[in-house]
Amino acid sequence: MWPTVVFSLFVQWSVGAGAFTQSLDSDFTFALPAGRKECFYQTMEKDASLEIEYQVLDGAGLDVDFYLYSPSGHVLFSDFRKSDGVHTAETEAGDYMFCFDNSFSTLSEKVIFFELILDNMGEGEDSEDWKEYMQGADMLDLKLEDIMDSINGVKARLGKSLQIQTVLRAFEARDRNLQESNYERVNVWSCTNMVVMVLVSCIQVYLLRSLFDDKRKTRT
Amino acid sequence: MTVVASCVGVLLLFAWFTPSKALYFHIGETEKKCFIEEIPDETMVIGKYRTQLWDKQTGSFLPATPGLGMHVEIKDPDTKVILSRQYGSDGRFTFTSHTPGEHQICLHSNSTKMALFAGGKLRVHLDIQVGEHTNNYPEIAAKDKLTELQLRVRQLLDQVEQIQKEQNYQRYREERFRMTSESTNQRVLWWSIAQTVILIITAIWQMRHLKSFFEAKKLV
């Protein structure tokens, strides 16, 4: 009876504690209008680590200012007019603020992608704790532990793959936006060029003719 | 005993539900904050948010405010609105994408009295989960009656499926990117040739016209 109870407690605990549900890494993409500054906040614990990676995906110049403030208001990192960046900080307890500043631009809206990677936040409980609940260490339990370890390893690697995919996706989105704006530019300026050429040649001919017409009139 | 265990399990499940360590930002009264999510098709997205209102009396943010709602609007890549709903001060919205591409998630507050009570500051905690992260594993375990090992393997399978979907989507995007590049290159070539031809024709026309004009005026 006891092993059943303990086992059910373990299952309930591990499943409910989100042992393999919500991850603490988040990424967001947003549009920053010209001349604006947008700030985001993240609550951190002591001795955790915060890694922030950002990229500018769209907008003329593909650059933005970036600031990271500690809970006490000190500037930890600042970038001026960079198109992408990565910063890691060992954190103390409190709210960290990071801001993207597009004030230097008067016309173009920037699309910014950023990713927060949090480590050692203490919310993902150590899967070593469940050993306290399990009683009896026979061969089957040890084999199960090996399988669990390798499953955890695979899960971590797959999570990393997904993260890298997200970053690659951001790079590709930026290149695609750049290319589409090139396409627009080529179309617009080629049309303008042709129209201007034809117009200028007609004006030239007309002006030349008008010069001689006047002279003729004044001569007689 | 089992009742206690189930109660503990259920309580821990609720702990997973609220975005306690999520990113937060401040939003003004009529301000609209939009986030862009680039996702493959048939992908589920769950967004959870929690709002807090600034209390002038205590000088801090109150945990929950009844009567204060957020309006959530979600547009698909063709800028068609797929979700436009009002939620309470804590809300959870879900949608599944049917076309791959950039979906836009916009949030704005529906309250007009905020400036009166709170000095115009509203804090929004937001967490957006995409794809495999949206799966509710406790629910899946209960529905399919899986042991923990089976559940873990199922989670790995879901992760791999998500990565595969992203890769397929990446392939589709790269193809689009290649088409735009090739189209741009072609257009540059054809516009240049067309412009040169027009320039030559215009020059010939100008010369012939002016020559006949001068001959008519008996200047040549």
Side-chain angles (χ1 to χ4, degrees):
Chain A
M1 191 256 187
W2 266 110
T4 329
V5 166
V6 163
F7 184 69
S8 76
L9 191 71
F10 155 61
V11 168
Q12 295 274 10
W13 172 86
S14 68
V15 163
F20 38 78
T21 47
Q22 191 174 32
S23 87
L24 289 170
D25 303 340
S26 49
D27 60 272
F28 289 97
T29 313
F30 69 102
L32 184 59
R36 286 276 305 266
K37 181 173 177 171
E38 293 271 352
C39 293
F40 297 89
Y41 305 79
Q42 172 69 45
T43 312
M44 296 298 296
E45 291 174 5
K46 193 159 158 43
D47 297 334
S49 93
L50 169 72
E51 184 180 336
I52 175 158
E53 181 172 355
Y54 67 93
Q55 273 185 44
V56 185
L57 300 185
D58 199 7
L62 288 181
D63 52 5
V64 78
D65 292 344
F66 171 77
Y67 306 97
L68 178 62
Y69 298 92
S70 71
S72 50
H74 293 121
V75 178
L76 290 176
F77 298 107
S78 65
D79 287 338
F80 293 104
R81 304 193 68 155
K82 289 268 176 64
S83 103
D84 48 66
V86 182
H87 296 292
T88 312
E90 297 294 320
T91 63
E92 53 201 41
D95 289 358
Y96 280 75
M97 174 167 86
F98 54 96
C99 298
F100 297 98
D101 196 350
N102 196 18
S103 316
F104 57 82
S105 167
T106 44
L107 280 179
S108 63
E109 178 188 76
K110 305 272 157 72
V111 175
I112 297 170
F113 159 82
F114 68 90
E115 189 176 18
L116 279 173
I117 303 163
L118 312 177
D119 262 332
N120 303 328
M121 278 293 273
E123 203 173 292
E125 272 89 355
D126 232 348
S127 51
E128 303 299 309
D129 289 348
W130 67 265
K131 277 196 209 144
E132 293 174 35
Y133 296 96
M134 290 298 274
Q135 315 248 343
D138 53 357
M139 280 302 288
L140 198 63
D141 287 339
L142 285 175
K143 281 257 155 51
L144 195 68
E145 193 183 324
D146 286 339
I147 293 175
M148 286 299 188
D149 281 345
S150 61
I151 285 181
N152 280 338
V154 173
K155 177 178 186 287
R157 285 192 196 89
L158 287 178
K160 198 82 179 89
S161 303
L162 206 53
Q163 234 173 54
I164 292 176
Q165 261 194 337
T166 309
V167 171
L168 287 176
R169 181 179 67 208
F171 273 121
E172 193 273 337
R174 183 180 65 184
D175 290 340
R176 184 169 21 102
N177 288 331
L178 198 59
Q179 191 67 321
E180 283 179 2
S181 75
N182 280 350
Y183 178 80
E184 296 286 330
R185 235 183 265 183
V186 162
N187 282 345
V188 163
W189 290 109
S190 298
C191 272
T192 314
N193 203 358
M194 264 201 338
V195 163
V196 165
M197 261 196 321
V198 170
L199 215 63
V200 163
S201 70
C202 291
I203 289 174
Q204 276 181 336
V205 168
Y206 172 72
L207 280 177
L208 217 51
R209 284 175 68 127
S210 69
L211 278 174
F212 288 102
D213 279 341
D214 285 348
K215 278 211 175 121
R216 257 290 151 167
K217 284 194 185 114
T218 52
R219 219 177 276 178
T220 54
Chain B
M1 260 315 283
T2 39
V3 172
V4 171
S6 335
C7 286
V8 168
V10 164
L11 273 170
L12 288 167
L13 272 172
F14 278 113
W16 164 80
F17 184 84
T18 50
S20 47
K21 296 282 183 180
L23 189 80
Y24 69 82
F25 52 90
H26 294 137
I27 193 170
E29 193 173 304
T30 48
E31 211 185 325
K32 196 179 206 185
K33 286 272 170 111
C34 292
F35 294 93
I36 299 166
E37 285 294 330
E38 190 168 3
I39 45 182
D41 55 348
E42 308 308 324
T43 306
M44 182 147 120
V45 176
I46 293 182
K48 297 185 204 107
Y49 72 86
R50 190 162 62 96
T51 55
Q52 285 176 328
L53 204 56
W54 176 256
D55 184 19
K56 276 187 266 209
Q57 291 161 335
T58 58
S60 68
F61 282 87
L62 293 175
T65 321
L68 188 69
M70 295 289 284
H71 185 95
V72 176
E73 194 179 67
I74 300 178
K75 294 202 185 110
D76 74 352
D78 307 318
T79 62
K80 195 177 68 138
V81 176
I82 53 179
L83 191 105
S84 178
R85 260 193 65 180
Q86 192 99 303
Y87 292 88
S89 66
D90 288 1
R92 181 175 187 257
F93 54 90
T94 308
F95 72 95
T96 306
S97 62
H98 297 295
T99 39
E102 289 186 351
H103 292 68
Q104 199 181 53
I105 300 168
C106 289
L107 293 151
H108 69 268
S109 159
N110 70 331
S111 162
T112 47
K113 299 186 290 242
M114 215 168 66
L116 218 61
F117 292 131
K121 271 209 289 191
L122 182 70
R123 181 179 283 186
V124 181
H125 299 253
L126 182 67
D127 186 29
I128 297 177
Q129 298 290 341
V130 174
E132 178 267 327
H133 294 295
T134 63
N135 285 343
N136 187 353
Y137 286 101
E139 202 183 290
I140 292 175
K143 190 166 73 98
D144 295 343
K145 297 194 178 36
L146 301 173
T147 64
E148 198 194 330
L149 198 61
Q150 286 173 323
L151 192 64
R152 292 244 175 177
V153 172
R154 171 75 66 93
Q155 194 261 330
L156 289 179
L157 288 173
D158 287 342
Q159 233 176 350
V160 170
E161 197 186 311
Q162 168 83 353
I163 289 175
Q164 211 173 7
K165 233 196 256 186
E166 285 273 353
Q167 276 193 319
N168 283 340
Y169 179 50
Q170 168 81 345
R171 210 178 288 168
Y172 154 79
R173 280 195 312 266
E174 272 192 305
E175 193 185 318
R176 231 188 79 184
F177 176 64
R178 195 175 5 109
M179 277 180 4
T180 312
S181 293
E182 285 182 0
S183 169
T184 306
N185 280 348
Q186 253 189 353
R187 286 200 181 202
V188 165
L189 181 67
W190 286 118
W191 279 124
S192 303
I193 290 175
Q195 281 170 10
T196 313
V197 165
I198 286 180
L199 203 58
I200 291 173
I201 290 176
T202 316
I204 293 172
W205 170 78
Q206 269 189 334
M207 284 305 157
R208 288 168 74 112
H209 182 85
L210 286 174
K211 186 167 171 218
S212 63
F213 174 69
F214 287 150
E215 278 171 358
K217 300 282 181 187
K218 298 190 178 61
L219 290 169
V220 179

